[in-house]
Amino acid sequence: MAEGLKKIYVQIAVALPVNGTFTYTVTGDLADKAGVGKRVLVSFSGRKVTGYILRIIQPENRKGLKDIINIIDPYPLFPPNMVEFFEWLSNYYLYPIGLVIKTALPTGLNVRIPYGTEMPPKGWLDRVGLLKRVFITVKKGTFLDRSLFDPKRAPRNEGEFLEMIIKKKGVSLQEVKKAFNNGAYLVDKWVKKGFLKRSLRQVVRDIAGENIFISPNPPPLSVKQKEVLEKISGKLKEKSFFTYLLHGVTGSGKTEVYYKAVKVATELGRQSIIMVPEIALTVSLASLFKARLRDRVAVLHSALSPGERYDQWIRIANGEADVVIGARSALFAPISRPGLIIIDEEHDSSYKQEEKFRYQARDAAIVRAKLSQSLIILGSGTPSIQSYQNATIGKYGLLTMPERILKREPPDITVIDMTRFEGSPTVQNDSIISPPLREAIGENLAKKKQTILFLNRRGFSALYLCRFCGETLRCPNCEVSLTYHKQGNNLLCHYCGFRIQPPDRCPSCNRENLKPYGFGTERVVETLREVFPEARVERMDRDTMRYKGRLQQVLRRLENYETDILVGTQMVTKGHDFPNITLVGVISADLSLNNPDFRAGEITFQLLSQVAGRTGRGNVPGRVIIQTFNPSHYAIIAARDHDYKRFFSQETNLRQQLDYPPFSSIANLRLLGNSKTKTGKIAQQMGEKIHNILKKRSSGKKDIKVLGPVEAPVAKLKGKYRQQILIKSRRHGYLNQLLKEVGKGSAQILSSSGVRLIIDVDPYQMM
Ligand code: ADP
Ligand code: ZN
């Protein structure tokens, strides 16, 4: 080489919707800085674009290669062992590899270009990490009681103050001062009397900036926990790929098992990833781990600011974390020595990303574990049919924790047949809250116990209907009915957010006969206010949870027994232990059951089991009442009887007969366009194309079924007309191959048609 000018060759993925990777050269000084996992700037089709170095290579053909323009990163953003994983993702989900990597990297990267080779400061960890706070607790050996204070001589709020201290079993001085102007004085007084004690405690801050106290010392494990941990440790020591399904009922103590498993992996020199389905759960789990492992814990989720996420990312890439905790995107945590991946609530559909790069984080995590010789644990109280099937056929190991830690009884579940309370065409209170449920709520109120009511639809009504001609008002952008929201007096589209004032006259028959029909959470709250005017009712759904910190406020009021009845959507079904909740009512189990989706039964069973788990957490056993028009549906009966196995066997029978997953692989090809006829025409052409490809095949034809093209159940969404083609195959390999051919052939059909093709592999949303 002339004058020893250094020249190397790199394989680059560009952050553009193009297939394949490209070879570039790096020369001179830049060659020393090049490395796998760094971003580069390259010229591509006359544009300057970001690329990612996948490999340093020795290409056969070295002619006509372009030089890269620059190297962006001083240090790699992902380790070399992730390249194979990105390639698998791109191949399986038929998504361009550069965009896979772009999705994987924190969004902060796109707004912030690093300044030098300095590591970022520990900013986020310092702010949200461990703090010490003065806590006030009742002194051991003393008995504090309201009767101790003399109302004539004490400050007016002293009773309230003592109640807070007694109930909370430990509260920070800061919190006391916030609640009471004379808080410092009151604390002083009762400390001097010898009843209260001040101590310094470690706290972590939650997402709303509140301090939560967490014991840094793990409790001794139960016999069952030990048994499960033993098996997990055994597999970890083998340092090879294996999948465990941990079927542990809610409250069986899975978290402590996770913690110990992470400890074992760390001792073996390997790093762990723990995924949870949502941000709120990430925060509480991360708090527990931080209290014990300090800054060896990293957190990744979308509530971090871009800068914070970037800092976390770089720390992880530098090997400064033993465990990464996060939501779906923690799948891509750039750890270089993975050994353990844990997916908590593995059945949760939020592991599926529903936009752009449509991956399933649980499924992809199994592949990441396989590629890195790691152990993966899928934990759930109601495992997905897919995972349990894999455990049944021996592909996964099965671990079970069938009992709650404190041996509490599971709640007693009653199913109410709502056909008994139907009759009049307008919705009566009885058809929202049936007499048996009403009676149970009344009893619970009288006993000063709390109730949760669950309904998976927000708003006041389901439809806005003309009582004369039957016309329902629909969204102009989406083929769905508008929901009436009394608060604000709006008709709202739950798909695109379109809103209008309700018109006086029916647009179809011009009569003044439009009325709300059916009901949502807002209507349930109104009904409760009529029936139980004295009850303190609160609503928890997307409408009331708009503002940051609202969720924590509502949960805190529930915890402090300032709420008697909490009405809400899916949000009320997850997490959080409240011992005083002794009744759960499911207003309608039919909404999820009637979805046009092969998982409707599975989702209903999971929802009912999960919401039932919100009760009976204290000393009093819980009660659950489920209202439904399908009282004999197998999913409802199995949930009533706490019988996972029976549900599993009935559900798998059905799936097998209909060739649905896990007995087949499916892909949903969706065509979206602004014109209804054009979209329909392109869908037809795409259908023909698929049949032509299949005709040319010598083998595997019979293993593939093509359904459609048909209009999607939601035929128009956000202004786009929607057609879909469902492809099923018993062999995923055949399906994958077909999809690739379709993908190649589609460019010609789609070109300048204004119609877009979306390929959704292993789809969750069938609407
Ligand atoms: P899961 O995640 O299985 O629903 P958790 O891990 O939340 O259950 O545990 C339920 C409760 O039991 C928690 O309050 C936890 O602190 C407590 N717990 C777990 N393990 C033990 C143990 N070995 N001894 C005492 N309490 C425990
Ligand atoms: Zn809409």
Side-chain angles (χ1 to χ4, degrees), residues 226-300:
K226 267 191 204 143
E227 207 181 290
V228 166
L229 179 69
E230 211 115 291
K231 293 206 172 125
I232 292 171
S233 310
K235 282 290 175 198
L236 277 171
K237 283 173 189 146
E238 287 176 19
K239 298 194 175 182
S240 56
F241 167 61
F242 192 74
T243 311
Y244 267 130
L245 173 62
L246 173 54
H247 182 190
V249 297
T250 333
S252 58
K254 294 189 286 295
T255 313
E256 292 298 341
V257 173
Y258 298 158
Y259 171 71
K260 286 283 174 27
V262 167
K263 289 284 281 185
V264 174
T266 308
E267 280 157 23
L268 292 166
R270 301 182 80 176
Q271 296 160 294
S272 309
I273 296 176
I274 308 182
M275 270 190 251
V276 287
E278 48 176 302
I279 295 169
L281 299 174
T282 310
V283 172
S284 56
L285 193 70
S287 305
L288 184 129
F289 274 78
K290 272 192 195 150
R292 297 176 182 174
L293 302 176
R294 313 259 166 163
D295 59 5
R296 301 299 299 172
V297 181
V299 181
L300 286 177

Side-chain angles (χ1 to χ4, degrees), residues 474-480 482 492-498 716-719:
R474 285 170 188 277
C475 172
N477 309 318
C478 313
E479 286 281 308
V480 295
L482 294 170
L492 183 70
C493 172
H494 284 183
Y495 286 83
C496 75
F498 171 85
K716 189 183 176 194
L717 188 68
K718 298 179 186 173

